[in-house]
Amino acid sequence: MISRHLTRLNEHLEGALWKKGFPQGLARDAVRLTILLATVLIVAGTVFLPVSTKLFWAGFGAVLAAWNFYNLSHFILHRLPRGSQEGSGEKDRKSFFTGQLLRSNLRLFITGILLYVALVAYQADIFSLLAGLSVVVLVIPVLLLFRNTRAKR
């Protein structure tokens, strides 16, 4: 039953990423797997919250990492090529990159505030948060390893 829901969630997420313009490839797979893993961690952490909070805080960190990774990937795949085109003027490029710099810094500022609140106000386990935040760093090498293994078959 759980695998059926995960399969449906995976298909829905695949379609949503396709509609957002993520091309087939490593970037879309990495974003999709990061979001799926963050979803599984936060749901499992919420279910087991009465037993232990460590899984919940790992899920919380994973959700923050997935949010930041999705936005960074979207910027690199879509906005960066348009903003650096030869046809756009110097003023347009500067305003484009200034706007993106403000958006990314605002997103990181919000992430920092949420982490601060989790650590100070809720006494979150720092190692669980770090484990969740490192989900992206773990997903990409594993994805590359399995991609190379599938290609050899």
Side-chain angles (χ1 to χ4, degrees):
M1 181 173 151
I2 293 174
S3 65
R4 187 176 66 208
H5 289 295
L6 285 176
T7 303
R8 250 192 275 155
L9 178 64
N10 185 33
E11 291 169 355
H12 178 71
L13 191 56
E14 187 75 23
L17 288 173
W18 179 258
K19 287 178 185 174
K20 286 287 187 180
F22 278 86
Q24 185 73 13
L26 182 64
R28 186 166 84 187
D29 290 344
V31 169
R32 180 177 45 84
L33 287 177
T34 302
I35 293 172
L36 282 174
L37 188 56
T39 303
V40 167
L41 280 173
I42 197 72
V43 168
T46 304
V47 168
F48 292 110
L49 197 56
V51 178
S52 175
T53 60
K54 292 182 186 228
L55 192 58
F56 175 78
W57 291 117
F60 181 76
V63 167
L64 289 177
W67 176 50
N68 282 300
F69 184 60
Y70 170 81
N71 284 305
L72 181 65
S73 299
H74 192 268
F75 168 71
I76 289 173
L77 290 173
H78 297 95
R79 307 225 193 279
L80 187 64
R82 277 191 286 175
S84 60
Q85 288 177 351
E86 292 297 322
S88 59
E90 186 68 27
K91 185 179 177 185
D92 292 337
R93 278 189 275 183
K94 281 185 181 180
S95 67
F96 170 78
F97 286 114
T98 302
Q100 180 56 37
L101 186 63
L102 288 173
R103 276 192 299 274
S104 64
N105 282 337
L106 179 63
R107 190 175 59 252
L108 291 176
F109 181 72
I110 292 170
T111 300
I113 288 174
L114 290 173
L115 288 173
Y116 177 80
V117 168
L119 288 169
V120 174
Y122 294 104
Q123 271 78 49
D125 182 37
I126 190 165
F127 295 110
S128 297
L129 277 172
L130 289 175
L133 287 168
S134 63
V135 161
V136 176
V137 177
L138 297 173
V139 162
I140 293 174
V142 168
L143 190 60
L144 287 172
L145 178 70
F146 283 115
R147 195 170 270 237
N148 288 337
T149 308
R150 274 191 277 162
K152 290 178 184 177
R153 289 184 192 176

